[in-house]
Amino acid sequence: MAAAMETSPALEILVREPAGYSIWNGPPFNNNNQPGIKLEKVPCTSAKFSEDGSRLVVTKADAAISVYDSSTLKEIRCFQIPNVAASALSPRGTYLQTFQKSTTPQEKNVVLWNIETGDPVYQQLQKNMTKATWPSVQFSSDEAVACRLATNEIQFFDAADFSKGISHRLRIPGVAAVELSKAPGSHVAAFVPESKGSPASVQIYASGKELQSQPLARRSFFRCSTVQLNWNHGSTGLLVVVQSDVDKTNQSYYGESKLNYLTTDGTHEGLVPLCKEGPIHDVQWSFSGKEFAVVYGFMPASATVFDKKCKPLLELGSGPYNTIRWNPKGKFLCLAGFGNLPGDMAFWDFLDKKQLGTTRAECSVTSEWSADGCYFMTATTAPRLQVDNCVKIFHHNGSLFFKKMFDKLFQADWKPESPHKFGPIAELTKSIDSMKVEESKSQGQGSTSKKPASVNPPAQKPAAYRPPHAKNAAAVQAELFGGSTTGEMSKNALRNKKKREKQKEKKAAEATNAAEAK
């Protein structure tokens, strides 16, 4: 275990404020529970790690895009690109892809650059950029396969040598969205929207030219406006969230959504059996690719974990939830309600099938597990929210580990690392728990109190709602009859009570005197 901990990479956090970005040393913290600063603030307008965390791309105000080695933070290459609107690194940081605002109709405004040489290796014209069409060139996680969406076809490239041009084409009339499987890049999913009475469809093809004669799987559906395509690790299953702008049952103003599941071997093509009606809020595969979790249904939403055959494995209950986050080790789950929900979070141990704890992170915009699977970070960021910007880090059981407030925060991201570089999750959590015990012992020396602190203090029960007219009526009642709106007697009430008692005593004395006189 000690050897595994020594060889494990250190966690790091990228934090971007108006003054620029900085790199923090991740938990556990040694300096009074405060993060060490690996890199002080550097001015920029955007910053993002590559998928494997090996490189960092930073866009600066002077149209300069710099690529850094994330371990040494030394600049590898700086590109001067005028009118740049977006940039993206390939998964392993070999290529930089940029999108420029086009000044002429013939200008090729999407450029793929080789970072080591600084030379452009591929260029094309793209009229506009949307979430579905950027990055224009998609790569598998190992950068062995590359493809792009074109009119009525998908174009494939030799990712090691773009000078060869397009290696082969897959013609799909009307194709509007494409998702290449990541690990490995053996398959590609294509979405064709509804057209002239024909239903929309999602089709799965093999990436290899010789295997593309027929789709391996296909699912058609009516009332479909957009889709979300989610591949698992291993590229054997595809989850398709089908969204319609109109709900014909009139149960939802935001339309309706359905969750479909397709496999590359054709064993399953259909809906995921959900036990509650309503929208699909979130869906995520486990890192192993053998299970997936879904948050679904009208509020209070339900959450269920399924296996690869769509059989339910674990019910996570119901509540004000719309977000699911599965930690990279596959052991822990965080079920949360962010956005317009109060921020409730429930932490689960999937392997032991039990809930570990609950807490709340109000107004969170982003949330993600650390690469070692032991910490969960939420961030409240601008421009979504302009006040109460902060970073919170929780332990795997939901107990708060760290919190820092900012005047304005734009971004907070973990540095990506492969989960395989870290030891077993059970041993990691044990080591963290032992550190917490040692810290509590050192802090508790000389203390006379032996009462243990609660890990998750229960939330204070809110008082019952009282309408304004009821409050006013209670106040009038207190003035007239000596009552109190808070349950305690006011000064006037006490004074009146004493007067009444004295009057009673006086009447009793007068009655006694009258009886003696007779």
Side-chain angles (χ1 to χ4, degrees):
M1 172 59 194
M5 290 295 291
E6 289 176 3
T7 57
S8 299
L11 298 175
E12 295 179 9
I13 303 172
L14 184 150
V15 177
R16 184 166 63 90
E17 303 173 66
Y21 80 96
S22 55
I23 304 292
W24 293 358
N25 292 316
F29 303 140
N30 298 320
N31 184 22
N32 294 324
N33 203 32
Q34 293 297 316
I37 306 300
K38 182 178 179 180
L39 178 68
E40 295 290 348
K41 292 177 184 176
V42 178
C44 73
T45 57
S46 70
K48 188 171 181 61
F49 287 108
S50 60
E51 185 181 305
D52 67 350
S54 62
R55 291 184 175 177
L56 173 68
V57 59
V58 177
T59 305
K60 301 176 181 177
D62 56 355
I65 300 179
S66 296
V67 180
Y68 297 88
D69 184 310
S70 60
S71 59
T72 62
L73 296 177
K74 291 183 178 180
E75 187 177 77
I76 301 173
R77 184 76 58 185
C78 181
F79 299 88
Q80 291 289 337
I81 304 174
N83 300 321
V84 65
S87 61
L89 287 171
S90 60
R92 290 189 171 183
T94 305
Y95 300 103
L96 172 68
Q97 194 171 170
T98 59
F99 178 91
Q100 296 169 266
K101 297 176 183 178
S102 181
T103 55
T104 62
Q106 294 78 25
E107 181 183 4
K108 294 183 177 181
N109 58 335
V110 174
V111 184
L112 193 66
W113 308 82
N114 185 305
I115 294 175
E116 292 295 336
T117 63
D119 299 328
V121 296
Y122 177 74
Q123 300 180 57
Q124 70 176 57
L125 171 65
Q126 185 170 323
K127 293 182 179 180
N128 49 37
M129 181 185 67
T130 64
K131 188 176 181 180
T133 60
W134 183 257
S136 180
V137 178
Q138 298 185 29
F139 291 87
S140 59
S141 295
D142 57 3
E143 295 187 1
V145 181
C147 70
R148 69 173 286 261
L149 173 65
T151 304
N152 296 324
E153 67 180 18
I154 304 173
Q155 300 173 352
F156 291 84
F157 303 87
D158 182 351
D161 187 2
F162 277 86
S163 63
K164 296 179 180 178
I166 300 170
S167 61
H168 60 279
R169 306 169 190 262
L170 174 60
R171 183 162 179 80
I172 306 175
V175 61
V178 168
E179 188 67 29
L180 179 66
S181 62
K182 301 299 182 185
S186 55
H187 297 83
V188 63
F191 167 63
V192 179
E194 295 180 59
S195 177
K196 298 179 180 178
S198 299
S201 66
V202 169
Q203 307 167 40
I204 295 178
Y205 290 87
S207 298
K209 180 180 180 180
E210 63 280 358
L211 303 174
Q212 292 181 344
S213 58
Q214 294 292 330
L216 302 176
R218 178 189 175 98
R219 176 72 175 168
S220 299
F221 20 73
F222 287 99
R223 299 203 311 272
C224 173
S225 304
T226 59
V227 295
Q228 299 174 25
L229 305 172
N230 301 278
W231 281 104
N232 69 337
H233 289 268
S235 304
T236 58
L238 176 73
L239 290 170
V240 183
V241 180
V242 179
Q243 180 71 39
S244 173
D245 293 336
V246 179
D247 182 4
K248 290 197 172 184
T249 63
N250 292 324
Q251 291 181 294
S252 174
Y253 175 79
Y254 301 99
E256 62 178 337
S257 55
K258 301 291 183 182
L259 181 62
N260 293 262
Y261 177 51
L262 291 81
T263 57
T264 54
D265 58 6
T267 56
H268 197 288
E269 296 177 9
L271 291 170
V272 176
L274 303 177
C275 60
K276 187 176 184 178
E277 292 186 356
I280 307 299
H281 301 289
D282 197 12
V283 58
Q284 190 178 33
W285 285 98
S286 67
F287 184 78
S288 67
K290 297 179 180 179
E291 308 91 9
F292 62 90
V294 191
V295 186
Y296 59 95
F298 297 111
M299 292 295 164
S302 297
T304 307
V305 178
F306 295 88
D307 64 10
K308 291 173 64 176
K309 296 182 179 179
C310 282
K311 294 181 180 179
L313 298 176
L314 177 64
E315 293 291 341
L316 302 177
S318 61
Y321 303 126
N322 61 4
T323 303
I324 190 82
R325 294 287 183 267
W326 208 316
N327 91 328
K329 291 291 187 177
K331 181 173 173 63
F332 302 124
L333 280 162
C334 178
L335 187 60
F338 297 139
N340 59 349
L341 295 178
D344 293 291
M345 298 194 300
F347 289 82
W348 284 79
D349 187 323
F350 168 66
L351 299 183
D352 292 342
K353 293 181 170 50
K354 65 179 181 179
Q355 188 179 100
L356 302 176
T358 60
T359 185
R360 178 173 286 189
E362 300 88 348
C363 304
S364 297
V365 177
T366 61
S367 59
E368 195 51 71
W369 286 94
S370 60
D372 65 354
C374 296
Y375 301 93
F376 188 77
M377 180 171 67
T378 65
T380 303
T381 58
R384 175 74 178 271
L385 291 170
Q386 300 290 345
V387 296
D388 296 333
N389 287 184
C390 67
V391 168
K392 294 180 182 178
I393 300 178
F394 299 87
H395 287 291
H396 65 279
N397 61 0
S399 60
L400 182 63
F401 170 72
F402 171 78
K403 178 180 179 180
K404 182 176 176 62
M405 302 297 297
F406 295 83
D407 292 333
K408 183 168 286 190
L409 175 68
F410 291 131
Q411 179 183 354
D413 294 331
W414 295 105
K415 176 187 174 184
E417 294 283 359
S418 171
H420 299 303
K421 295 181 180 180
F422 299 90
I425 186 67
E427 296 183 6
L428 288 171
T429 53
K430 282 182 182 178
S431 65
I432 291 174
D433 291 339
S434 64
M435 291 171 61
K436 287 160 63 179
V437 170
E438 291 175 2
E439 183 180 351
S440 63
K441 284 182 179 178
S442 62
Q443 291 179 351
Q445 289 177 355
S447 175
T448 57
S449 174
K450 295 184 179 181
K451 185 178 179 181
S454 175
V455 174
N456 291 318
Q460 186 176 1
K461 187 176 181 180
Y465 172 72
R466 293 176 64 87
H469 66 82
K471 295 179 183 177
N472 294 336
V476 172
Q477 183 180 8
E479 290 294 329
L480 293 176
F481 304 107
S484 173
T485 59
T486 61
E488 298 179 359
M489 300 187 73
S490 64
K491 292 181 179 179
N492 290 334
L494 288 171
R495 194 181 300 116
N496 293 334
K497 183 179 179 181
K498 289 180 180 179
K499 284 183 180 179
R500 288 192 297 271
E501 289 175 352
K502 287 181 179 181
Q503 289 176 354
K504 287 181 180 179
E505 291 175 359
K506 186 177 179 180
K507 288 181 179 180
E510 290 177 352
T512 303
N513 293 334
E516 290 177 354
K518 290 179 180 180

